[in-house]
Every structure is written in structure tokens, then in C-alpha cells.
Amino acid sequence: MQHSNPLLLVLFLISIVSSLTTRINQPSRIRIDIGSNGAPALVFTPDSIKAQVGDTLDFHFIDQNVVSSVLLGVENSPCTPAPAGADFFNSGPILGDPDGTNVFSVNVTSDSQMILYCGVGAHCQAGMVAVVNPDKLTTLKGYAKAATGVQMNLGPPNMTGGSFTQGTSGGPVIIGFAPGAGPQKSAAGPCVGTSRRAVGGGSCVARK
Ligand SMILES: *[C@@H]1O[C@H](CO)[C@@H](O)[C@H](O)[C@H]1NC(C)=O
Ligand SMILES: *[C@@H]1O[C@H](CO)[C@@H](O)[C@H](O)[C@H]1NC(C)=O
């Protein structure tokens, strides 16, 4: 080749750009940690997430002595589940393990905003909230602030809308609430480790 052909060069560049674009649009797995593996902390990390349709949200329960959950809420009613429907998901109460290998996974099926909270104890009121694809920068702050004044944190017990992978650290990993446990009042603490302390008057039950 004596002279480089400008047309070929342009085509070559176009092919590079399009392959990069393809890679960017490929589905990804997004890790969100629930709790903390240092001092117990009622947090989702990160708490503001960008996700595309086809991505998977992997919620890792890493707080080894604390039971938490993640479920879909509604923006104007903090600590309340979204209506049951195709997009609804709820991990139900899960005991964290130190390896972070108790994982609840949710497929993203819409790119609209999703408010998430923890439905255990008073975790939601304490600020254990997150947002996926926020409409505006203030959404999460406003939700967290309104949550502090909520009487009841409503966390239905049944796992739905996602899949669960059991961790490697052994012991009971999924703890559900006995039927009739009802809503959890602000003052209640979480079910703790193997002692399975009751939450909000309900009893915790280990499921393996
Ligand atoms: C939750 O699970 C319990 C026990 O399997 C079942 O009896 C109950 O109907 C379920 N509730 C919902 C809302 O699916
Ligand atoms: C999520 O998507 C994967 C891949 O398409 C599928 O195998 C899995 O069953 C889906 N999980 C749920 C809970 O819908």
C-alpha cells in the first residue's frame, strides 16, 4: 500500500467506535453492599446507583450480625412497599455474612427511578435508603428526611422478584419473620445472629 486510503481509515475508526459503544451497552452486574463489615452501619453502599435495563443489581449482605432487607418503595410514602407488580422486589430479612456472599440479585427491567429501603426494624427511619436512577439530585435526601418521621417501617417477609445465592460462611442465612409478625415499630432492634431475637413483637425464624 503506497498511500493510506482515507476512506479505509474512516471505516476503521467507525468500527472502533462502534465496538466501544457495544461494550458500554453490555449488561453489567452492579454490586451494592448492605450494612458494613466493620462497625455495624445501616447503609447501602453506594446509595445512589445508575443502572440500565438488562443490568443486574447484586445486593451483598455483609453485616455479619445484623439482619437487613432491601425492597422497592415509593417516593412519596417512605418505608412503605411499592404495590405488588411485575417490577416489585423484596429480599425479605437476610442475615449478613462477613464474606458478603449472601447475595440477593434483581434484574433491572426499567430505567425509571427506583427508591429502595431496608424493611427491618427501624433501619428505614435511620436512613437505610437508596435510589436507582434518581430523577433529581434531591430525591434521596428528601426521602431519607421524610423517613425519619415515619411511625412504621413496613417490611413484608416474603422474598420475591429476585434470586438469592447463599453465602459460604455457614449457619442460618435467611431469616424470615413468623406469619403475623406485623409491621415493625421504630423502637425495635434487628433480629440478631443465632439468638434470633424478635423484631417488633414478631419472632424470627431461620430458614436454610
Ligand atoms: C408469604 O409466605 C407465607 C409462607 O410461605 C405464605 O403463607 C403467605 O401467603 C405469603 N405471603 C405473601 C404476601 O405472598
Ligand atoms: C434475571 O435474568 C437472568 C438472565 O436473563 C435470568 O436467568 C434470571 O432468571 C432472571 N432472574 C429473575 C429473578 O427474573
Side-chain angles (χ1 to χ4, degrees):
M1 199 168 20
Q2 277 178 329
H3 307 282
S4 59
N5 182 334
L7 179 63
L8 283 181
L9 183 63
V10 167
L11 288 176
F12 177 66
L13 288 176
I14 286 176
S15 80
I16 288 181
V17 168
S18 74
S19 77
L20 284 177
T21 311
T22 307
R23 201 166 310 154
I24 286 165
N25 287 334
Q26 259 166 17
S28 43
R29 304 199 75 101
I30 299 168
R31 175 172 176 151
I32 299 140
D33 284 342
I34 296 188
S36 149
N37 61 10
L42 302 177
V43 289
F44 293 101
T45 311
D47 63 2
S48 183
I49 299 118
K50 278 200 80 88
Q52 296 180 330
V53 172
D55 288 349
T56 302
L57 307 175
D58 288 326
F59 296 97
H60 292 248
F61 290 77
I62 62 172
D63 210 333
Q64 57 183 304
N65 291 314
V66 177
V67 173
S68 299
S69 74
V70 58
L71 71 157
L72 186 66
V74 281
E75 187 178 357
N76 56 9
S77 184
C79 317
T80 304
D87 287 344
F88 181 67
F89 62 86
N90 176 24
S91 68
I94 292 176
L95 180 62
D97 77 330
D99 306 336
T101 48
N102 287 345
V103 182
F104 181 68
S105 299
V106 173
N107 293 337
V108 176
T109 56
S110 137
D111 54 14
S112 43
Q113 171 176 281
M114 291 185 270
I115 286 279
L116 315 178
Y117 69 99
C118 172
V120 172
H123 293 188
C124 178
Q125 291 97 324
M128 198 165 180
V129 299
V131 65
V132 179
N133 295 328
D135 284 347
K136 48 190 185 301
L137 284 173
T138 52
T139 299
L140 188 60
K141 268 196 167 157
Y143 184 86
K145 193 170 174 215
T148 60
V150 164
Q151 276 271 312
M152 294 284 190
N153 181 16
L154 301 176
N158 294 15
M159 183 180 282
T160 184
S163 54
F164 180 70
T165 311
Q166 182 164 334
T168 53
S169 60
V173 292
I174 308 177
I175 298 184
F177 296 106
Q184 297 144 46
K185 280 202 160 101
S186 327
C191 297
V192 174
T194 48
S195 74
R196 299 170 207 167
R197 185 147 51 82
V199 173
S203 56
C204 298
V205 285
R207 290 192 260 136
K208 273 215 83 167

